[in-house]
Amino acid sequence: MSEQEQKEIEALYTDAHHWHINAGAETIHAKRLSGRFRTYKWYAASLWISFFILPYFRSEDHQAILFDIPNRQFHLGSLTIWPQDIWMLSLLLILLAITLFAVTAIAGRVWCGYFCLQTVWTDAFTWLEDKIEGNPIQRRKLDAAPWSLQKLGKKVIKHLLWLLISIATGVTFTAYFTDAYQLWIDVVTLQAPLIAWVTIGFFVFFTYVFAGFMREQVCFWLCPYARIQSVMVDKDTELPTYDLARGEPRGKMRHNAGAQKGDCIDCRLCVGVCPTGVDIREGMQEGCITCGMCIDACDSIMDKVKRPRGLIRYASRKELSGESLPPVLKRPRVITYSVVLLLSIAGIIYGLTHIPPVELSVVHERQPLFTQMSDGSIQNRYTIKAVNKTPQRLTFRLHITGLDGVNIKMPDGDIITLQPEGTIPFHVFLRMKPALLKKKKTKIRFILESMNATDKLKIKKRSVFIGPAT
Ligand code: SF4
Ligand code: SF4
């Protein structure tokens, strides 16, 4: 490749005036073609079928996946995650974010092109549109035609089907927060609570508007990921790229093959199939969601004109400029992301396998730090909260260690009974004779010891006992 050609490729990545974004003034009617990446897109989209099915699975006596907000519990199969274990959610969010960064560093916006619910739902909506109103040329003609019974019929059927998908989406989202079967009964009998109607309405509205009307505009203007992708990709990132050196100078097919220098016959099929209206020949652009539809389109043209496939292909800047590409696992970004990813996975696995059956919190009362009783003894007050995360009733005895001669005062002696998946807050008063206190501040431990014969639970919590200065 000549130096001049290399400079031209570089310019396409940096020259902002090449960028073109359809700001919503025109509706993009992308042509649908079969091909390798279209098939991948269908496979990826079919994973979303599980989204519609999962709320109906049961585990033990509850829904297998349930965000039980009123009871502040998250059920995942037989696991119950409590607010105290919410740190795992932070790790999960880090895991998801880093996975997204790592995938973007390797292959650009694969998430957008294949998995994002906005693009997947839009693809489903436009597939229906294609079936009802015809191909892009027929759709444009229909849009421009005056209203007739036929036009009205097609539009009504299309919007009804879009609404049906939106309703199914809205109810399914809501079903992750309440019993899915009961929700359907309540919806069908119009007995659902107000909060359920509001949640369903919210998701129905935004599914219908985003996937039916705004489509690629959501990616352009609402999604922050599109804005920050430029800092996640580098020269090693493989993106759908037009091979400028091979394609240019572009020109219509001519019978005199000798006059045709580049492989691009300027058929514009790659633009016609693009769901975001991008002309990939103008270089990497913000609107490109790396769906690969232009690759399928161009490959089909190359087959027809008997030229090798890959005029548009997944390629990195390094590859196009003739440099060798380092192996994926030797790239600094990928190494960094992988380390964070592995740490997050290890943290989540540790968290899930070490969820304590009982959570204990002890707060030492600060106002006042201690009280001198009429008999001269020193009293400290503690607020205790015990959470039983198991489905069994548990009974514990409370001990204090680190303070010999302490007297415990509680509502029911030193016995605590925790109902299944129940929480109990209570106060504990510790009293000491001043003569036995060796220090102003003594480190102590609250210990809950199970009285159930079947388990040997022992939960410890650190605190302090404070007395007057000695
Ligand atoms: S330019 Fe190609 S890869 Fe990018 S969004 Fe359009 S069709 Fe998809
Ligand atoms: S589909 Fe291929 S040949 Fe046709 S305009 Fe696009 S790059 Fe050129």
Side-chain angles (χ1 to χ4, degrees), residues 240 274-276 278 280 288-294:
C274 178
T276 58
V278 161
I280 193 70
C288 176
I289 55 170
T290 71
C291 64
M293 297 302 103
C294 52

Side-chain angles (χ1 to χ4, degrees), residues 416-460:
I416 300 159
T417 303
L418 294 173
Q419 297 306 327
E421 298 189 345
T423 302
I424 116 167
F426 56 95
H427 293 294
V428 170
F429 298 91
L430 298 185
R431 280 190 198 169
M432 279 289 289
K433 292 211 169 3
L436 296 176
L437 272 179
K438 296 185 181 106
K439 290 187 273 185
K440 184 183 171 194
K441 187 174 180 180
T442 312
K443 287 181 183 168
I444 60 170
R445 272 188 189 210
F446 282 74
I447 298 177
L448 283 187
E449 202 159 355
S450 173
M451 294 175 70
N452 299 38
T454 50
D455 56 59
K456 302 242 180 299
L457 286 176
K458 206 172 191 181
I459 299 106
K460 300 173 183 173

Side-chain angles (χ1 to χ4, degrees), residues 71-89:
N71 294 312
R72 287 183 282 170
Q73 295 171 5
F74 169 44
H75 296 287
L76 186 61
S78 56
L79 266 179
T80 300
I81 297 170
W82 292 70
Q84 291 83 358
D85 307 312
I86 210 74
W87 60 271
M88 272 187 282
L89 182 66

Side-chain angles (χ1 to χ4, degrees), residues 242 250 263-271 279-281 294 297-299 301-302 311-312:
Y242 170 68
R250 69 185 78 157
D263 279 355
C264 175
I265 60 166
D266 205 17
C267 62
R268 292 185 60 82
L269 189 61
C270 51
V271 186
D279 185 347
I280 193 70
R281 297 172 302 166
C294 52
C298 192
D299 280 349
I301 296 295
M302 291 299 109
L311 176 57
I312 302 176

Side-chain angles (χ1 to χ4, degrees), residues 387-394 417-424:
V387 182
N388 176 10
K389 297 177 177 176
T390 72
Q392 290 96 37
R393 188 171 181 266
L394 299 174
T417 303
L418 294 173
Q419 297 306 327
E421 298 189 345
T423 302
I424 116 167

Side-chain angles (χ1 to χ4, degrees), residues 34-108:
S34 54
R36 196 163 36 123
F37 290 98
R38 166 51 72 187
T39 309
Y40 296 156
K41 201 166 162 62
W42 280 126
Y43 287 150
S46 63
L47 293 177
W48 278 101
I49 294 171
S50 57
F51 159 77
F52 287 100
I53 297 172
L54 284 175
Y56 304 99
F57 285 98
R58 314 285 303 180
S59 172
E60 294 164 3
D61 60 339
H62 53 70
Q63 200 163 300
I65 302 179
L66 180 65
F67 296 87
D68 186 354
I69 290 174
N71 294 312
R72 287 183 282 170
Q73 295 171 5
F74 169 44
H75 296 287
L76 186 61
S78 56
L79 266 179
T80 300
I81 297 170
W82 292 70
Q84 291 83 358
D85 307 312
I86 210 74
W87 60 271
M88 272 187 282
L89 182 66
S90 321
L91 281 183
L92 183 67
L93 291 177
I94 292 173
L95 177 86
L96 294 176
I98 292 295
T99 307
L100 193 66
F101 292 172
V103 171
T104 309
I106 296 168

